[in-house]
Amino acid sequence: MAVDYAVIVVYLAGMLAMGWWGMRRARSKSEFLVAGRRLGPAMYSGTMAAIVLGGASTIGGVGLGYQYGLSGAWMVFTIGLGLLALSVFFSARIARLKVYTVSEMLDLRYGGGRAGIVSGVVMWAYTLMLAVTSTIAYATIFDVLFDMNRTVAIVLGGSIVVAYSTLGGMWSITLTDMVQFVVKTIGVLLLLLPIAVVKAGGFSEMKAQLPTEYFDPLGIGGETIFTYVLIYTFGMLIGQDIWQRVFTARSDRTAKWGGTVAGTYCLAYALAGAVIGTAAKVLYPKLGSPDDAFATIVKDELPVGVRGLVLAAALAAVMSTSSGALIACATVANNDIWSRLRGLGKAPAENADDHDEVQGNRLFILIMGLAVICTAIAIDNVVEALTVAYNLLVGGLLVPILGGLVWKRGTVYGALASVVVGGLAVIVLMATYGILANEPVYYGLLASLAAYLVVSLATPATDAAVLTAWRERLAGRSSELASEPTPVSQ
């Protein structure tokens, strides 16, 4: 195992070194939060794929393959579909807005900050829980590597991510994500996938040993697939962690086509995870938990050195999602909540006291990072925490965000009602049906849509000046503004 340990240690040291290097580039708010909005197609595609394919997609995707066979690919597949939909239909317009958060987009579209601050709180809760669930995954990986105590593993892994994210912001995260993308591609697609299939005796032996439903593309069930689409496909369309990567694109063309490449990569990754899990079912038919499949096949079937690289790939998957969620959480906390509570109302201009802007955002990453580590230590059920996060995101924010992009009659009061009614409905229904039930997101989304339509139609239309400014920003004809739009005059 000495060689495997060496691979992991070199990888972790490299992450910290890139954080230090990124610190030298992040000298303005734009550089720190969105990498100066100048990522080209290659870096944009790699980093976008890295953030959406985290520990749940890697370890969880293999676990679903172990439990359901090839249809276990659907969870990660719907993530890829969501990224494709975002890239093809919305990313160009999002990139042209030149904002930093989803709530700023809502302010621009509807006028004023009433919907923005409420949506900011919901988005903050989502990004916090996403970062927490990613951080908890360190316990699994470091247990395999070093037989490490759960709390120590979370503190170690979380501290490394907090360190490089705090130092260089989005530049550090972009550089580390590119390395993580390469490591995941080599470790999972080029090494673990073929080795697992060969060890299981090839596809013919896998088919002979397993029930036919393991090779049914719909074997996981239509209701489950539909729920995955609602939660993950729609979640990809509106999450701050994803939008913040769209904001890094050099142009709207880069956002569209680079995201399309990343989405296609996700589809391949989904199938790979399911096949690896299916192979693990042949090799280890009686594992205690499906989520043990990834660690077991890596420990028992891979040669020295390769094992270290594949474990580094799992670590890369967790770190890429964790760092992306962390900077998104800190950006929302600082720009959408703290600044408004302090009564600033207006964010500083791009060229106004850049040093203080960077230092302020760096401090928020550090604070949020510590909060994430402490929460991860306290929480045991990762699935429930992630489900709460996505239910609130989709139930509360999907309708006002997409409605603002496609329906000009939507109003600030409709958006506010949609967020509040959808969010409360999700919370009440989770308490009634259970956190893991499908009903909360189904009915919460319907309640959010009804509130948006009814209240928007019952209130005066959005001020013409606000809509004109919105259309100018969408068309990319307005300069990058950081201030709030003119409030609605009704």
Side-chain angles (χ1 to χ4, degrees):
M1 287 289 287
V3 175
D4 297 325
Y5 293 158
V7 171
I8 298 297
V9 170
V10 169
Y11 168 76
L12 294 177
M15 296 299 99
L16 291 174
M18 288 179 189
W20 183 262
W21 188 85
M23 182 177 66
R24 300 168 59 187
R25 300 198 64 168
R27 301 189 181 279
S28 69
K29 179 180 180 180
S30 177
E31 295 282 352
F32 191 82
L33 293 182
V34 290
R37 306 189 195 274
R38 49 197 175 101
L39 296 191
M43 290 196 75
Y44 179 84
S45 298
T47 57
M48 182 62 87
I51 187 176
V52 300
L53 296 174
S57 300
T58 304
I59 298 171
V62 171
L64 287 171
Y66 182 90
Q67 188 172 2
Y68 298 105
L70 297 186
S71 66
W74 271 106
M75 183 187 78
V76 184
F77 202 81
T78 55
I79 291 174
L81 292 178
L83 185 52
L84 285 171
L86 174 70
S87 302
V88 173
F89 299 113
F90 300 108
S91 64
R93 282 182 282 176
I94 292 170
R96 287 195 293 263
L97 289 174
K98 304 295 184 187
V99 294
Y100 293 104
T101 68
V102 174
S103 294
E104 288 178 12
M105 167 264 169
L106 292 174
D107 284 349
L108 282 169
R109 167 58 183 83
Y110 295 109
R114 284 162 290 190
I117 191 166
V118 177
S119 65
V121 172
V122 175
M123 189 65 77
W124 173 79
Y126 157 72
T127 53
L128 178 72
M129 295 312 298
L130 184 62
V132 165
T133 54
S134 299
T135 303
I136 291 173
Y138 295 126
T140 299
I141 298 171
F142 284 121
D143 177 59
V144 173
L145 284 170
F146 309 116
D147 193 25
M148 188 178 289
N149 173 269
R150 178 182 184 274
T151 299
V152 175
I154 290 173
V155 171
L156 175 61
S159 297
I160 292 171
V161 170
V162 171
Y164 73 69
S165 300
T166 301
L167 286 172
M170 187 59 82
W171 267 121
S172 294
I173 292 171
T174 296
L175 295 170
T176 53
D177 276 0
M178 275 306 297
V179 173
Q180 289 157 356
F181 170 73
V182 172
V183 171
K184 277 193 287 192
T185 301
I186 295 173
V188 175
L189 296 184
L190 302 184
L191 292 176
L192 183 57
L193 174 61
I195 290 174
V197 172
V198 170
K199 292 283 187 178
F203 286 104
S204 58
E205 183 65 19
M206 290 162 63
K207 286 185 176 181
Q209 298 243 6
L210 296 173
T212 55
E213 53 263 29
Y214 263 71
F215 302 92
D216 180 358
L218 302 179
I220 199 170
E223 184 179 358
T224 299
I225 294 170
F226 181 68
T227 302
Y228 284 160
V229 170
L230 277 185
I231 293 177
Y232 297 115
T233 301
F234 288 152
M236 288 295 106
L237 297 179
I238 59 174
Q240 170 67 26
D241 51 325
I242 309 303
W243 277 44
Q244 198 156 345
R245 295 311 174 97
V246 176
F247 300 151
T248 66
R250 184 168 61 199
S251 65
D252 51 7
R253 182 178 176 84
T254 297
K256 181 175 182 178
W257 295 111
T260 300
V261 171
T264 304
Y265 177 90
C266 291
L267 303 183
Y269 200 89
L271 185 58
V275 171
I276 293 168
T278 304
K281 183 68 175 179
V282 173
L283 295 168
Y284 312 99
K286 296 183 179 179
L287 290 179
S289 167
D291 285 341
D292 293 338
F294 181 89
T296 302
I297 198 169
V298 169
K299 279 199 302 184
D300 295 351
E301 303 297 337
L302 299 186
V304 174
V306 173
R307 180 169 50 217
L309 186 57
V310 173
L311 287 172
L315 199 57
V318 174
M319 284 187 161
S320 58
T321 300
S322 181
S323 60
L326 175 60
I327 194 171
C329 179
T331 302
V332 170
N334 188 14
N335 290 270
D336 293 339
I337 300 175
W338 177 243
S339 292
R340 296 170 195 257
L341 291 178
R342 291 178 61 197
L344 296 181
K346 295 183 179 181
E350 260 326 276
N351 59 355
D353 210 348
D354 285 335
H355 177 73
D356 288 345
E357 281 287 291
V358 171
Q359 290 300 97
N361 283 288
R362 186 173 280 141
L363 177 62
F364 264 86
I365 290 180
L366 179 60
I367 293 171
M368 291 298 106
L370 294 175
V372 165
I373 292 172
C374 292
T375 308
I377 293 171
I379 288 179
D380 289 326
N381 196 314
V382 180
V383 176
E384 288 192 356
L386 193 61
T387 301
V388 170
Y390 270 102
N391 282 354
L392 285 173
L393 176 72
V394 174
L397 294 181
L398 178 69
V399 171
I401 292 172
L402 294 189
L405 288 170
V406 302
W407 191 43
K408 67 179 182 180
R409 188 58 182 83
T411 69
V412 63
Y413 300 110
L416 186 58
S418 179
V419 174
V420 173
V421 171
L424 289 177
V426 165
I427 292 171
V428 171
L429 290 167
M430 283 192 295
T432 303
Y433 289 97
I435 290 176
L436 298 180
N438 293 329
E439 286 84 358
V441 71
Y442 291 171
Y443 300 137
L445 190 56
L446 289 174
S448 179
L449 177 61
Y452 183 70
L453 294 174
V454 171
V455 176
S456 290
L457 292 173
T459 53
T462 303
D463 188 84
V466 172
L467 288 178
T468 299
W470 166 253
R471 285 191 291 267
E472 289 293 306
R473 289 289 282 267
L474 277 180
R477 290 192 292 266
S478 179
S479 59
E480 181 172 344
L481 304 174
S483 60
E484 282 189 320
T486 305
V488 180
S489 55
Q490 297 178 347

